[in-house]
PDB file of all heavy atoms in Angstrom:
ATOM      1  N   GLN A   1      14.515 -23.396   0.526  1.00  0.00           N
ATOM      2  CA  GLN A   1      15.748 -23.874   1.168  1.00  0.00           C
ATOM      3  C   GLN A   1      16.827 -24.162   0.127  1.00  0.00           C
ATOM      4  O   GLN A   1      18.006 -23.860   0.350  1.00  0.00           O
ATOM      5  CB  GLN A   1      15.468 -25.134   1.988  1.00  0.00           C
ATOM      6  CG  GLN A   1      14.650 -24.888   3.233  1.00  0.00           C
ATOM      7  CD  GLN A   1      14.254 -26.188   3.913  1.00  0.00           C
ATOM      8  OE1 GLN A   1      14.103 -27.218   3.263  1.00  0.00           O
ATOM      9  NE2 GLN A   1      14.075 -26.124   5.225  1.00  0.00           N
ATOM     10  N   ILE A   2      16.416 -24.719  -0.998  1.00  0.00           N
ATOM     11  CA  ILE A   2      17.373 -24.993  -2.080  1.00  0.00           C
ATOM     12  C   ILE A   2      17.950 -23.678  -2.609  1.00  0.00           C
ATOM     13  O   ILE A   2      19.157 -23.551  -2.834  1.00  0.00           O
ATOM     14  CB  ILE A   2      16.704 -25.809  -3.208  1.00  0.00           C
ATOM     15  CG1 ILE A   2      16.328 -27.205  -2.697  1.00  0.00           C
ATOM     16  CG2 ILE A   2      17.614 -25.912  -4.427  1.00  0.00           C
ATOM     17  CD1 ILE A   2      15.476 -28.006  -3.640  1.00  0.00           C
ATOM     18  N   LEU A   3      17.082 -22.671  -2.770  1.00  0.00           N
ATOM     19  CA  LEU A   3      17.552 -21.374  -3.257  1.00  0.00           C
ATOM     20  C   LEU A   3      18.495 -20.713  -2.261  1.00  0.00           C
ATOM     21  O   LEU A   3      19.469 -20.070  -2.654  1.00  0.00           O
ATOM     22  CB  LEU A   3      16.361 -20.455  -3.544  1.00  0.00           C
ATOM     23  CG  LEU A   3      15.461 -20.873  -4.709  1.00  0.00           C
ATOM     24  CD1 LEU A   3      14.277 -19.928  -4.822  1.00  0.00           C
ATOM     25  CD2 LEU A   3      16.226 -20.935  -6.008  1.00  0.00           C
ATOM     26  N   GLU A   4      18.235 -20.869  -0.966  1.00  0.00           N
ATOM     27  CA  GLU A   4      19.127 -20.308   0.055  1.00  0.00           C
ATOM     28  C   GLU A   4      20.488 -21.001   0.039  1.00  0.00           C
ATOM     29  O   GLU A   4      21.525 -20.356   0.203  1.00  0.00           O
ATOM     30  CB  GLU A   4      18.492 -20.426   1.438  1.00  0.00           C
ATOM     31  CG  GLU A   4      17.363 -19.449   1.681  1.00  0.00           C
ATOM     32  CD  GLU A   4      16.616 -19.718   2.962  1.00  0.00           C
ATOM     33  OE1 GLU A   4      17.075 -20.548   3.782  1.00  0.00           O
ATOM     34  OE2 GLU A   4      15.555 -19.094   3.144  1.00  0.00           O
ATOM     35  N   GLU A   5      20.481 -22.333  -0.150  1.00  0.00           N
ATOM     36  CA  GLU A   5      21.747 -23.065  -0.214  1.00  0.00           C
ATOM     37  C   GLU A   5      22.599 -22.609  -1.399  1.00  0.00           C
ATOM     38  O   GLU A   5      23.817 -22.515  -1.297  1.00  0.00           O
ATOM     39  CB  GLU A   5      21.483 -24.564  -0.323  1.00  0.00           C
ATOM     40  CG  GLU A   5      21.014 -25.210   0.948  1.00  0.00           C
ATOM     41  CD  GLU A   5      20.683 -26.676   0.744  1.00  0.00           C
ATOM     42  OE1 GLU A   5      20.862 -27.195  -0.381  1.00  0.00           O
ATOM     43  OE2 GLU A   5      20.243 -27.302   1.717  1.00  0.00           O
ATOM     44  N   LYS A   6      21.939 -22.346  -2.530  1.00  0.00           N
ATOM     45  CA  LYS A   6      22.656 -21.918  -3.737  1.00  0.00           C
ATOM     46  C   LYS A   6      22.927 -20.415  -3.741  1.00  0.00           C
ATOM     47  O   LYS A   6      23.475 -19.885  -4.703  1.00  0.00           O
ATOM     48  CB  LYS A   6      21.852 -22.279  -4.988  1.00  0.00           C
ATOM     49  CG  LYS A   6      21.460 -23.737  -5.081  1.00  0.00           C
ATOM     50  CD  LYS A   6      22.630 -24.623  -5.339  1.00  0.00           C
ATOM     51  CE  LYS A   6      22.138 -26.054  -5.511  1.00  0.00           C
ATOM     52  NZ  LYS A   6      23.190 -27.006  -5.645  1.00  0.00           N
ATOM     53  N   LYS A   7      22.478 -19.726  -2.686  1.00  0.00           N
ATOM     54  CA  LYS A   7      22.687 -18.287  -2.512  1.00  0.00           C
ATOM     55  C   LYS A   7      22.044 -17.461  -3.623  1.00  0.00           C
ATOM     56  O   LYS A   7      22.602 -16.437  -4.064  1.00  0.00           O
ATOM     57  CB  LYS A   7      24.165 -17.965  -2.382  1.00  0.00           C
ATOM     58  CG  LYS A   7      24.807 -18.614  -1.174  1.00  0.00           C
ATOM     59  CD  LYS A   7      26.157 -18.048  -0.883  1.00  0.00           C
ATOM     60  CE  LYS A   7      26.869 -18.633   0.299  1.00  0.00           C
ATOM     61  NZ  LYS A   7      26.279 -19.649   1.089  1.00  0.00           N
ATOM     62  N   ILE A   8      20.870 -17.884  -4.075  1.00  0.00           N
ATOM     63  CA  ILE A   8      20.129 -17.094  -5.066  1.00  0.00           C
ATOM     64  C   ILE A   8      18.715 -16.791  -4.569  1.00  0.00           C
ATOM     65  O   ILE A   8      17.847 -16.448  -5.355  1.00  0.00           O
ATOM     66  CB  ILE A   8      20.078 -17.806  -6.438  1.00  0.00           C
ATOM     67  CG1 ILE A   8      19.595 -19.228  -6.310  1.00  0.00           C
ATOM     68  CG2 ILE A   8      21.398 -17.731  -7.142  1.00  0.00           C
ATOM     69  CD1 ILE A   8      19.409 -19.925  -7.637  1.00  0.00           C
ATOM     70  N   ALA A   9      18.522 -16.890  -3.257  1.00  0.00           N
ATOM     71  CA  ALA A   9      17.211 -16.585  -2.681  1.00  0.00           C
ATOM     72  C   ALA A   9      16.993 -15.070  -2.695  1.00  0.00           C
ATOM     73  O   ALA A   9      17.931 -14.299  -2.518  1.00  0.00           O
ATOM     74  CB  ALA A   9      17.123 -17.113  -1.251  1.00  0.00           C
ATOM     75  N   PRO A  10      15.748 -14.626  -2.922  1.00  0.00           N
ATOM     76  CA  PRO A  10      15.490 -13.188  -2.882  1.00  0.00           C
ATOM     77  C   PRO A  10      15.635 -12.654  -1.460  1.00  0.00           C
ATOM     78  O   PRO A  10      15.515 -13.397  -0.490  1.00  0.00           O
ATOM     79  CB  PRO A  10      14.041 -13.077  -3.373  1.00  0.00           C
ATOM     80  CG  PRO A  10      13.444 -14.408  -3.113  1.00  0.00           C
ATOM     81  CD  PRO A  10      14.562 -15.406  -3.238  1.00  0.00           C
ATOM     82  N   GLU A  11      15.912 -11.364  -1.342  1.00  0.00           N
ATOM     83  CA  GLU A  11      16.127 -10.798  -0.009  1.00  0.00           C
ATOM     84  C   GLU A  11      14.831 -10.715   0.787  1.00  0.00           C
ATOM     85  O   GLU A  11      14.859 -10.784   2.007  1.00  0.00           O
ATOM     86  CB  GLU A  11      16.778  -9.429  -0.113  1.00  0.00           C
ATOM     87  CG  GLU A  11      15.963  -8.397  -0.865  1.00  0.00           C
ATOM     88  CD  GLU A  11      16.700  -7.084  -1.031  1.00  0.00           C
ATOM     89  OE1 GLU A  11      17.832  -7.119  -1.534  1.00  0.00           O
ATOM     90  OE2 GLU A  11      16.129  -6.053  -0.666  1.00  0.00           O
ATOM     91  N   LEU A  12      13.687 -10.576   0.099  1.00  0.00           N
ATOM     92  CA  LEU A  12      12.387 -10.571   0.771  1.00  0.00           C
ATOM     93  C   LEU A  12      11.640 -11.852   0.447  1.00  0.00           C
ATOM     94  O   LEU A  12      11.696 -12.337  -0.688  1.00  0.00           O
ATOM     95  CB  LEU A  12      11.539  -9.384   0.303  1.00  0.00           C
ATOM     96  CG  LEU A  12      11.992  -7.992   0.709  1.00  0.00           C
ATOM     97  CD1 LEU A  12      11.059  -6.957   0.122  1.00  0.00           C
ATOM     98  CD2 LEU A  12      12.039  -7.861   2.206  1.00  0.00           C
ATOM     99  N   PRO A  13      10.896 -12.419   1.402  1.00  0.00           N
ATOM    100  CA  PRO A  13      10.085 -13.603   1.108  1.00  0.00           C
ATOM    101  C   PRO A  13       9.015 -13.299   0.053  1.00  0.00           C
ATOM    102  O   PRO A  13       8.569 -12.151  -0.097  1.00  0.00           O
ATOM    103  CB  PRO A  13       9.448 -13.934   2.463  1.00  0.00           C
ATOM    104  CG  PRO A  13      10.338 -13.304   3.467  1.00  0.00           C
ATOM    105  CD  PRO A  13      10.899 -12.083   2.813  1.00  0.00           C
ATOM    106  N   ASP A  14       8.596 -14.339  -0.674  1.00  0.00           N
ATOM    107  CA  ASP A  14       7.680 -14.167  -1.799  1.00  0.00           C
ATOM    108  C   ASP A  14       6.331 -13.589  -1.386  1.00  0.00           C
ATOM    109  O   ASP A  14       5.776 -12.750  -2.090  1.00  0.00           O
ATOM    110  CB  ASP A  14       7.455 -15.505  -2.507  1.00  0.00           C
ATOM    111  CG  ASP A  14       8.706 -15.997  -3.189  1.00  0.00           C
ATOM    112  OD1 ASP A  14       9.570 -15.163  -3.503  1.00  0.00           O
ATOM    113  OD2 ASP A  14       8.819 -17.211  -3.417  1.00  0.00           O
ATOM    114  N   ASP A  15       5.784 -14.052  -0.254  1.00  0.00           N
ATOM    115  CA  ASP A  15       4.468 -13.572   0.135  1.00  0.00           C
ATOM    116  C   ASP A  15       4.505 -12.090   0.505  1.00  0.00           C
ATOM    117  O   ASP A  15       3.590 -11.330   0.172  1.00  0.00           O
ATOM    118  CB  ASP A  15       3.883 -14.411   1.269  1.00  0.00           C
ATOM    119  CG  ASP A  15       4.838 -14.593   2.436  1.00  0.00           C
ATOM    120  OD1 ASP A  15       5.994 -14.133   2.342  1.00  0.00           O
ATOM    121  OD2 ASP A  15       4.428 -15.200   3.443  1.00  0.00           O
ATOM    122  N   LEU A  16       5.570 -11.651   1.125  1.00  0.00           N
ATOM    123  CA  LEU A  16       5.716 -10.240   1.469  1.00  0.00           C
ATOM    124  C   LEU A  16       5.890  -9.396   0.210  1.00  0.00           C
ATOM    125  O   LEU A  16       5.296  -8.318   0.075  1.00  0.00           O
ATOM    126  CB  LEU A  16       6.898 -10.041   2.415  1.00  0.00           C
ATOM    127  CG  LEU A  16       7.117  -8.648   2.962  1.00  0.00           C
ATOM    128  CD1 LEU A  16       5.904  -8.189   3.754  1.00  0.00           C
ATOM    129  CD2 LEU A  16       8.345  -8.613   3.836  1.00  0.00           C
ATOM    130  N   THR A  17       6.654  -9.885  -0.742  1.00  0.00           N
ATOM    131  CA  THR A  17       6.851  -9.175  -2.003  1.00  0.00           C
ATOM    132  C   THR A  17       5.528  -9.030  -2.756  1.00  0.00           C
ATOM    133  O   THR A  17       5.240  -7.963  -3.310  1.00  0.00           O
ATOM    134  CB  THR A  17       7.869  -9.924  -2.887  1.00  0.00           C
ATOM    135  OG1 THR A  17       9.064 -10.128  -2.137  1.00  0.00           O
ATOM    136  CG2 THR A  17       8.197  -9.140  -4.140  1.00  0.00           C
ATOM    137  N   ALA A  18       4.712 -10.080  -2.761  1.00  0.00           N
ATOM    138  CA  ALA A  18       3.417 -10.025  -3.442  1.00  0.00           C
ATOM    139  C   ALA A  18       2.499  -8.996  -2.791  1.00  0.00           C
ATOM    140  O   ALA A  18       1.794  -8.241  -3.482  1.00  0.00           O
ATOM    141  CB  ALA A  18       2.768 -11.407  -3.438  1.00  0.00           C
ATOM    142  N   LEU A  19       2.501  -8.944  -1.464  1.00  0.00           N
ATOM    143  CA  LEU A  19       1.673  -7.957  -0.772  1.00  0.00           C
ATOM    144  C   LEU A  19       2.147  -6.535  -1.054  1.00  0.00           C
ATOM    145  O   LEU A  19       1.335  -5.619  -1.219  1.00  0.00           O
ATOM    146  CB  LEU A  19       1.679  -8.219   0.737  1.00  0.00           C
ATOM    147  CG  LEU A  19       0.819  -9.379   1.214  1.00  0.00           C
ATOM    148  CD1 LEU A  19       1.073  -9.638   2.688  1.00  0.00           C
ATOM    149  CD2 LEU A  19      -0.643  -9.089   0.982  1.00  0.00           C
ATOM    150  N   ILE A  20       3.457  -6.337  -1.128  1.00  0.00           N
ATOM    151  CA  ILE A  20       3.986  -5.002  -1.424  1.00  0.00           C
ATOM    152  C   ILE A  20       3.605  -4.583  -2.839  1.00  0.00           C
ATOM    153  O   ILE A  20       3.201  -3.439  -3.075  1.00  0.00           O
ATOM    154  CB  ILE A  20       5.513  -4.960  -1.207  1.00  0.00           C
ATOM    155  CG1 ILE A  20       5.822  -5.100   0.282  1.00  0.00           C
ATOM    156  CG2 ILE A  20       6.120  -3.681  -1.765  1.00  0.00           C
ATOM    157  CD1 ILE A  20       7.283  -5.253   0.612  1.00  0.00           C
ATOM    158  N   ARG A  21       3.689  -5.512  -3.788  1.00  0.00           N
ATOM    159  CA  ARG A  21       3.273  -5.204  -5.160  1.00  0.00           C
ATOM    160  C   ARG A  21       1.798  -4.830  -5.210  1.00  0.00           C
ATOM    161  O   ARG A  21       1.399  -3.904  -5.921  1.00  0.00           O
ATOM    162  CB  ARG A  21       3.528  -6.409  -6.068  1.00  0.00           C
ATOM    163  CG  ARG A  21       4.937  -6.530  -6.507  1.00  0.00           C
ATOM    164  CD  ARG A  21       5.068  -7.500  -7.663  1.00  0.00           C
ATOM    165  NE  ARG A  21       6.465  -7.649  -7.973  1.00  0.00           N
ATOM    166  CZ  ARG A  21       7.132  -8.786  -7.898  1.00  0.00           C
ATOM    167  NH1 ARG A  21       6.521  -9.888  -7.548  1.00  0.00           N
ATOM    168  NH2 ARG A  21       8.403  -8.827  -8.187  1.00  0.00           N
ATOM    169  N   ASN A  22       0.986  -5.575  -4.449  1.00  0.00           N
ATOM    170  CA  ASN A  22      -0.446  -5.295  -4.399  1.00  0.00           C
ATOM    171  C   ASN A  22      -0.695  -3.903  -3.823  1.00  0.00           C
ATOM    172  O   ASN A  22      -1.515  -3.138  -4.332  1.00  0.00           O
ATOM    173  CB  ASN A  22      -1.138  -6.368  -3.554  1.00  0.00           C
ATOM    174  CG  ASN A  22      -2.632  -6.341  -3.698  1.00  0.00           C
ATOM    175  OD1 ASN A  22      -3.165  -5.626  -4.533  1.00  0.00           O
ATOM    176  ND2 ASN A  22      -3.318  -7.105  -2.882  1.00  0.00           N
ATOM    177  N   SER A  23       0.025  -3.556  -2.785  1.00  0.00           N
ATOM    178  CA  SER A  23      -0.108  -2.238  -2.160  1.00  0.00           C
ATOM    179  C   SER A  23       0.267  -1.132  -3.140  1.00  0.00           C
ATOM    180  O   SER A  23      -0.424  -0.105  -3.222  1.00  0.00           O
ATOM    181  CB  SER A  23       0.784  -2.184  -0.918  1.00  0.00           C
ATOM    182  OG  SER A  23       0.871  -0.888  -0.432  1.00  0.00           O
ATOM    183  N   VAL A  24       1.332  -1.327  -3.888  1.00  0.00           N
ATOM    184  CA  VAL A  24       1.766  -0.331  -4.872  1.00  0.00           C
ATOM    185  C   VAL A  24       0.702  -0.168  -5.955  1.00  0.00           C
ATOM    186  O   VAL A  24       0.381   0.960  -6.361  1.00  0.00           O
ATOM    187  CB  VAL A  24       3.127  -0.728  -5.484  1.00  0.00           C
ATOM    188  CG1 VAL A  24       3.464   0.121  -6.692  1.00  0.00           C
ATOM    189  CG2 VAL A  24       4.218  -0.624  -4.445  1.00  0.00           C
ATOM    190  N   ALA A  25       0.120  -1.273  -6.402  1.00  0.00           N
ATOM    191  CA  ALA A  25      -0.916  -1.211  -7.443  1.00  0.00           C
ATOM    192  C   ALA A  25      -2.163  -0.484  -6.932  1.00  0.00           C
ATOM    193  O   ALA A  25      -2.769   0.318  -7.663  1.00  0.00           O
ATOM    194  CB  ALA A  25      -1.279  -2.620  -7.902  1.00  0.00           C
ATOM    195  N   ILE A  26      -2.540  -0.735  -5.686  1.00  0.00           N
ATOM    196  CA  ILE A  26      -3.713  -0.058  -5.124  1.00  0.00           C
ATOM    197  C   ILE A  26      -3.437   1.436  -4.983  1.00  0.00           C
ATOM    198  O   ILE A  26      -4.301   2.272  -5.290  1.00  0.00           O
ATOM    199  CB  ILE A  26      -4.106  -0.684  -3.773  1.00  0.00           C
ATOM    200  CG1 ILE A  26      -4.591  -2.123  -3.974  1.00  0.00           C
ATOM    201  CG2 ILE A  26      -5.212   0.119  -3.106  1.00  0.00           C
ATOM    202  CD1 ILE A  26      -4.814  -2.877  -2.682  1.00  0.00           C
ATOM    203  N   ARG A  27      -2.241   1.807  -4.530  1.00  0.00           N
ATOM    204  CA  ARG A  27      -1.892   3.230  -4.404  1.00  0.00           C
ATOM    205  C   ARG A  27      -1.933   3.930  -5.765  1.00  0.00           C
ATOM    206  O   ARG A  27      -2.413   5.058  -5.879  1.00  0.00           O
ATOM    207  CB  ARG A  27      -0.511   3.391  -3.795  1.00  0.00           C
ATOM    208  CG  ARG A  27      -0.494   3.202  -2.317  1.00  0.00           C
ATOM    209  CD  ARG A  27       0.885   3.467  -1.740  1.00  0.00           C
ATOM    210  NE  ARG A  27       0.868   3.255  -0.319  1.00  0.00           N
ATOM    211  CZ  ARG A  27       0.422   4.146   0.563  1.00  0.00           C
ATOM    212  NH1 ARG A  27      -0.017   5.298   0.151  1.00  0.00           N
ATOM    213  NH2 ARG A  27       0.421   3.873   1.843  1.00  0.00           N
ATOM    214  N   LYS A  28      -1.432   3.249  -6.790  1.00  0.00           N
ATOM    215  CA  LYS A  28      -1.458   3.811  -8.137  1.00  0.00           C
ATOM    216  C   LYS A  28      -2.898   4.015  -8.601  1.00  0.00           C
ATOM    217  O   LYS A  28      -3.238   5.027  -9.210  1.00  0.00           O
ATOM    218  CB  LYS A  28      -0.713   2.862  -9.073  1.00  0.00           C
ATOM    219  CG  LYS A  28      -0.376   3.406 -10.419  1.00  0.00           C
ATOM    220  CD  LYS A  28       0.502   2.403 -11.149  1.00  0.00           C
ATOM    221  CE  LYS A  28       0.813   2.829 -12.536  1.00  0.00           C
ATOM    222  NZ  LYS A  28       1.594   1.826 -13.249  1.00  0.00           N
ATOM    223  N   HIS A  29      -3.761   3.053  -8.290  1.00  0.00           N
ATOM    224  CA  HIS A  29      -5.175   3.152  -8.644  1.00  0.00           C
ATOM    225  C   HIS A  29      -5.828   4.325  -7.906  1.00  0.00           C
ATOM    226  O   HIS A  29      -6.639   5.062  -8.479  1.00  0.00           O
ATOM    227  CB  HIS A  29      -5.884   1.838  -8.294  1.00  0.00           C
ATOM    228  CG  HIS A  29      -7.375   1.915  -8.373  1.00  0.00           C
ATOM    229  ND1 HIS A  29      -8.061   1.887  -9.567  1.00  0.00           N
ATOM    230  CD2 HIS A  29      -8.311   2.030  -7.402  1.00  0.00           C
ATOM    231  CE1 HIS A  29      -9.356   1.991  -9.325  1.00  0.00           C
ATOM    232  NE2 HIS A  29      -9.543   2.074  -8.020  1.00  0.00           N
ATOM    233  N   LEU A  30      -5.462   4.496  -6.637  1.00  0.00           N
ATOM    234  CA  LEU A  30      -6.078   5.560  -5.840  1.00  0.00           C
ATOM    235  C   LEU A  30      -5.638   6.960  -6.281  1.00  0.00           C
ATOM    236  O   LEU A  30      -6.346   7.935  -6.017  1.00  0.00           O
ATOM    237  CB  LEU A  30      -5.771   5.359  -4.353  1.00  0.00           C
ATOM    238  CG  LEU A  30      -6.621   4.307  -3.662  1.00  0.00           C
ATOM    239  CD1 LEU A  30      -6.118   4.060  -2.255  1.00  0.00           C
ATOM    240  CD2 LEU A  30      -8.082   4.702  -3.643  1.00  0.00           C
ATOM    241  N   GLU A  31      -4.493   7.068  -6.942  1.00  0.00           N
ATOM    242  CA  GLU A  31      -4.082   8.371  -7.464  1.00  0.00           C
ATOM    243  C   GLU A  31      -5.066   8.857  -8.526  1.00  0.00           C
ATOM    244  O   GLU A  31      -5.373  10.053  -8.600  1.00  0.00           O
ATOM    245  CB  GLU A  31      -2.685   8.285  -8.072  1.00  0.00           C
ATOM    246  CG  GLU A  31      -1.581   8.186  -7.050  1.00  0.00           C
ATOM    247  CD  GLU A  31      -0.216   8.002  -7.684  1.00  0.00           C
ATOM    248  OE1 GLU A  31      -0.102   8.108  -8.926  1.00  0.00           O
ATOM    249  OE2 GLU A  31       0.739   7.756  -6.931  1.00  0.00           O
ATOM    250  N   ALA A  32      -5.574   7.935  -9.326  1.00  0.00           N
ATOM    251  CA  ALA A  32      -6.521   8.302 -10.373  1.00  0.00           C
ATOM    252  C   ALA A  32      -7.966   8.300  -9.871  1.00  0.00           C
ATOM    253  O   ALA A  32      -8.814   8.993 -10.434  1.00  0.00           O
ATOM    254  CB  ALA A  32      -6.391   7.332 -11.553  1.00  0.00           C
ATOM    255  N   ASN A  33      -8.241   7.518  -8.834  1.00  0.00           N
ATOM    256  CA  ASN A  33      -9.616   7.370  -8.335  1.00  0.00           C
ATOM    257  C   ASN A  33      -9.647   7.672  -6.841  1.00  0.00           C
ATOM    258  O   ASN A  33      -9.661   6.764  -6.014  1.00  0.00           O
ATOM    259  CB  ASN A  33     -10.113   5.945  -8.597  1.00  0.00           C
ATOM    260  CG  ASN A  33      -9.983   5.563 -10.046  1.00  0.00           C
ATOM    261  OD1 ASN A  33     -10.710   6.030 -10.896  1.00  0.00           O
ATOM    262  ND2 ASN A  33      -9.003   4.719 -10.338  1.00  0.00           N
ATOM    263  N   HIS A  34      -9.664   8.957  -6.505  1.00  0.00           N
ATOM    264  CA  HIS A  34      -9.559   9.379  -5.108  1.00  0.00           C
ATOM    265  C   HIS A  34     -10.727   8.916  -4.251  1.00  0.00           C
ATOM    266  O   HIS A  34     -10.564   8.673  -3.059  1.00  0.00           O
ATOM    267  CB  HIS A  34      -9.473  10.909  -5.018  1.00  0.00           C
ATOM    268  CG  HIS A  34      -8.268  11.471  -5.688  1.00  0.00           C
ATOM    269  ND1 HIS A  34      -7.003  11.309  -5.177  1.00  0.00           N
ATOM    270  CD2 HIS A  34      -8.128  12.166  -6.843  1.00  0.00           C
ATOM    271  CE1 HIS A  34      -6.135  11.895  -5.979  1.00  0.00           C
ATOM    272  NE2 HIS A  34      -6.787  12.421  -7.005  1.00  0.00           N
ATOM    273  N   LYS A  35     -11.900   8.789  -4.832  1.00  0.00           N
ATOM    274  CA  LYS A  35     -13.099   8.511  -4.038  1.00  0.00           C
ATOM    275  C   LYS A  35     -13.432   7.026  -3.937  1.00  0.00           C
ATOM    276  O   LYS A  35     -14.486   6.670  -3.434  1.00  0.00           O
ATOM    277  CB  LYS A  35     -14.289   9.263  -4.622  1.00  0.00           C
ATOM    278  CG  LYS A  35     -14.137  10.762  -4.505  1.00  0.00           C
ATOM    279  CD  LYS A  35     -15.375  11.463  -4.937  1.00  0.00           C
ATOM    280  CE  LYS A  35     -15.228  12.954  -4.747  1.00  0.00           C
ATOM    281  NZ  LYS A  35     -16.471  13.665  -5.052  1.00  0.00           N
ATOM    282  N   ASP A  36     -12.561   6.171  -4.407  1.00  0.00           N
ATOM    283  CA  ASP A  36     -12.818   4.736  -4.362  1.00  0.00           C
ATOM    284  C   ASP A  36     -12.620   4.216  -2.935  1.00  0.00           C
ATOM    285  O   ASP A  36     -11.508   3.871  -2.524  1.00  0.00           O
ATOM    286  CB  ASP A  36     -11.890   4.011  -5.343  1.00  0.00           C
ATOM    287  CG  ASP A  36     -12.265   2.549  -5.528  1.00  0.00           C
ATOM    288  OD1 ASP A  36     -13.140   2.061  -4.794  1.00  0.00           O
ATOM    289  OD2 ASP A  36     -11.665   1.909  -6.408  1.00  0.00           O
ATOM    290  N   GLN A  37     -13.715   4.168  -2.181  1.00  0.00           N
ATOM    291  CA  GLN A  37     -13.638   3.775  -0.774  1.00  0.00           C
ATOM    292  C   GLN A  37     -13.276   2.298  -0.608  1.00  0.00           C
ATOM    293  O   GLN A  37     -12.583   1.916   0.338  1.00  0.00           O
ATOM    294  CB  GLN A  37     -14.967   4.072  -0.069  1.00  0.00           C
ATOM    295  CG  GLN A  37     -15.326   5.549  -0.039  1.00  0.00           C
ATOM    296  CD  GLN A  37     -14.307   6.370   0.722  1.00  0.00           C
ATOM    297  OE1 GLN A  37     -13.825   5.969   1.772  1.00  0.00           O
ATOM    298  NE2 GLN A  37     -13.955   7.539   0.176  1.00  0.00           N
ATOM    299  N   THR A  38     -13.722   1.470  -1.520  1.00  0.00           N
ATOM    300  CA  THR A  38     -13.397   0.044  -1.445  1.00  0.00           C
ATOM    301  C   THR A  38     -11.897  -0.178  -1.594  1.00  0.00           C
ATOM    302  O   THR A  38     -11.303  -0.996  -0.893  1.00  0.00           O
ATOM    303  CB  THR A  38     -14.155  -0.734  -2.538  1.00  0.00           C
ATOM    304  OG1 THR A  38     -15.542  -0.389  -2.481  1.00  0.00           O
ATOM    305  CG2 THR A  38     -13.995  -2.223  -2.344  1.00  0.00           C
TER     306      THR A  38
END
């Protein structure tokens, strides 16, 4: 709320950004390891 008042809040919420980063990292891993079912 403080960041929103000062107009320096990120455009995406932090938890969503963390999940997107995680998804990108998993996709990058899967490019090298196609058979990793886990």
Side-chain angles (χ1 to χ4, degrees):
Q1 290 173 331
I2 294 171
L3 293 176
E4 286 171 10
E5 286 176 2
K6 306 290 184 185
K7 298 193 180 359
I8 51 175
E11 61 184 53
L12 291 178
D14 293 336
D15 50 356
L16 185 60
T17 306
L19 284 172
I20 292 172
R21 280 195 184 118
N22 193 8
S23 170
V24 168
I26 294 172
R27 282 184 181 279
K28 193 173 176 183
H29 169 77
L30 281 173
E31 286 176 8
N33 306 288
H34 298 289
K35 294 187 177 185
D36 190 352
Q37 297 298 318
T38 309

